[in-house]
Amino acid sequence: MKPNKILSLVTISAIVLITSCKKDDTPVPTPDLAPTVTSISPTSGPKNTVVTITGTNFGTNLATLKVYFNNVQATVQTATNTTITAVVPITATTGAVKVEKSPTAQVTGPAFTILGTGSVSTLALTGAASTLGLVTGVTRDAAGNLFVCDRDANRIVKITTGGVASVFAGSGSGGAIVNGTGTAAGFYAPYGITIDGAGNLFVGEYANQAIRKITPAAVVTTLAGNGTAGLLNGTGSNATFNQPVGLAVDATGNAFIADYLNNVIRKITPAGVVTTFAGSGAAALTDGTGTSAAFNGPFALSFDPGGNLIVADYLNHAVRKITPAGVVTTIAGNGTAGYVDATGSAARFFRPAGLAVDGAGNIFICDAQNNRIRKISSTGVVTTLAGNNNAGSVDGVGTAAQFQYPLGLCADFTNSALYIADFGNRSIRKLIID
């Protein structure tokens, strides 16, 4: 055999030997590890609540990952290997939460309790401002944070969705009007509060006779008023109020104020120009247009879907409506204090206060002296959602729950919840309206 042929055979043999010794690169299948669930948060709530599920081995494939609430499949919003967020289905009932990674890898976790209509609970707060004083107003931003008027503490408290309470604005000292940022600003008995589409807060500061504005960065300025009580229209500090409380802001940035002791509804443009929108100043229950109408202690305001301004007429024990053209009518109640569930003028309230209106035109309202939360349908039918005439602090369902002079109210209609500033109990309560 020739040398070059011998070399070729040696080379071929070496290649075969090397190839035969080479490691198999075929991927080894990864075991489909079963998920585990260590906790869910919250453990109770209404339908449409977003629940965070914590555990292990969830995977991140939203195409195959499934979550069930008592065997009803939910919508999974986000997923990491250790955390899932899912929305409680509207057809779900109380029962266990189950996570299914695949047909052969699933686990059953803790139970989620569905809170139905009329369920009242008290928010458990942590943080530096977790002990509240006499709370009078509450509003909610797009992220779900609550902002509360802590009246006697002269501050605005922010409560996160996790229940952490901190001072958003206000030094707590009271006294004269002080503009500034956060705790460098000064309030004196902030009472009513609302929020606009850009996240700016507006506060009715009844002891300082002023309307304050707070940006999302907590910069506090004075929109109108100067600390002196009166009824003067004008721009900014040239205007005067007499215990302004409730507020509402329209889509173009105009603020409307319940000027309580002046018995009128005022309007403030974004430039700070103040005019009287409705009310003669006389303490009376009179329907009419603009200043020919009369109120008695207008307390809280909210817009309905048609752009009408709904007014809790506190000392008239009635709920009123003002059209964009200033036409005032009475929706429910007739000036007589009492407690009657009925339609229109046959219904009775006792100092109606904070309110909110849903997309269908239903009005939800704090009936303060009756210690109840009431509902007025779009056709004027008044019913009771929660509370009874007895003042107390009892979580429960419907008339088994108790409040102590509920004054402020805001809504999270997406999640079928109302948040209530429970004045006498110095707490924020949550009411399910689903």
Side-chain angles (χ1 to χ4, degrees):
M1 182 178 293
K2 294 181 179 180
N4 61 338
K5 289 186 177 181
I6 295 174
L7 180 60
S8 298
L9 288 174
V10 171
T11 302
I12 293 170
S13 299
I15 292 171
V16 171
L17 180 61
I18 292 170
T19 303
S20 64
C21 295
K22 189 177 181 181
K23 184 179 178 181
D24 187 359
D25 287 333
T26 304
V28 177
T30 301
D32 196 5
L33 297 174
T36 65
V37 174
T38 55
S39 66
I40 62 172
S41 179
T43 58
S44 64
K47 298 164 186 178
N48 286 325
T49 296
V50 177
V51 176
T52 300
I53 305 165
T54 304
T56 62
N57 302 324
F58 293 147
T60 59
N61 188 350
L62 295 181
T64 58
L65 187 63
K66 298 177 182 178
V67 172
Y68 298 87
F69 287 82
N70 201 20
N71 296 318
V72 177
Q73 188 172 348
T75 299
V76 175
Q77 289 186 327
T78 63
T80 70
N81 204 43
T82 57
T83 304
I84 300 170
T85 60
V87 181
V88 178
I90 60 172
T91 56
T93 55
T94 295
V97 176
K98 184 173 76 172
V99 175
E100 181 181 297
K101 184 179 177 182
S102 72
T104 59
Q106 50 189 259
V107 64
T108 299
F112 182 84
T113 301
I114 302 290
L115 299 179
T117 298
S119 297
V120 177
S121 58
T122 302
L123 294 193
L125 304 182
T126 60
S130 59
T131 300
L132 298 174
L134 295 170
V135 289
T136 52
V138 59
T139 194
R140 179 179 177 274
D141 70 11
N145 301 297
L146 300 177
F147 296 86
V148 179
C149 288
D150 196 349
R151 190 194 72 176
D152 291 355
N154 300 305
R155 62 187 185 175
I156 307 301
V157 173
K158 177 181 177 179
I159 302 172
T160 69
T161 55
V164 179
S166 60
V167 179
F168 186 66
S171 63
S173 62
I177 296 171
V178 179
N179 293 324
T181 300
T183 55
F187 295 89
Y188 191 11
Y191 217 98
I193 190 167
T194 194
I195 194 166
D196 69 10
N200 299 297
L201 298 169
F202 296 82
V203 178
E205 190 180 10
Y206 88 92
N208 264 333
Q209 320 295 350
I211 308 304
R212 313 294 291 280
K213 178 181 177 180
I214 314 173
T215 70
V219 178
V220 180
T221 55
T222 302
L223 184 61
N226 59 19
T228 302
L231 179 53
L232 289 176
N233 290 324
T235 300
S237 60
N238 292 320
T240 58
F241 302 86
N242 200 350
Q243 293 193 2
V245 284
L247 312 92
V249 181
D250 69 14
T252 58
N254 297 298
F256 292 80
I257 318 300
D259 198 353
Y260 181 74
L261 285 186
N262 279 329
N263 300 309
V264 295
I265 308 302
R266 312 287 288 280
K267 175 183 176 181
I268 311 176
T269 70
V273 179
V274 180
T275 54
T276 299
F277 183 59
S280 64
L285 177 58
T286 306
D287 290 342
T289 300
T291 56
S292 68
F295 301 88
N296 190 4
F299 191 91
L301 307 174
S302 183
F303 282 102
D304 74 6
N308 302 295
L309 195 59
I310 308 301
V311 183
D313 202 355
Y314 188 78
L315 297 179
N316 269 330
H317 315 293
V319 179
R320 318 285 293 282
K321 180 174 82 171
I322 312 174
T323 70
V327 179
V328 180
T329 54
T330 301
I331 296 172
N334 68 357
T336 303
Y339 170 68
V340 178
D341 279 343
T343 301
S345 60
R348 297 288 182 274
F349 300 88
F350 199 170
R351 296 183 176 172
L355 54 82
V357 187
D358 70 11
N362 299 298
I363 302 166
F364 300 86
I365 190 163
C366 295
D367 194 358
Q369 192 73 51
N370 279 324
N371 297 302
R372 293 175 165 98
I373 308 301
R374 315 280 291 279
K375 175 184 176 181
I376 309 173
S377 74
S378 58
T379 57
V381 179
V382 180
T383 54
T384 298
L385 294 178
N388 54 63
N389 194 52
N390 298 315
S393 181
V394 177
D395 290 341
V397 179
T399 56
Q402 290 184 344
F403 302 90
Q404 189 169 340
Y405 220 80
L407 277 183
L409 183 150
C410 70
D412 174 9
F413 290 122
T414 300
N415 292 305
S416 303
L418 302 178
Y419 292 94
I420 298 140
D422 196 355
F423 179 81
N425 283 321
R426 302 169 184 259
S427 61
I428 303 299
R429 314 289 294 279
K430 181 178 180 179
L431 168 62
I432 303 305
I433 56 174
D434 180 34

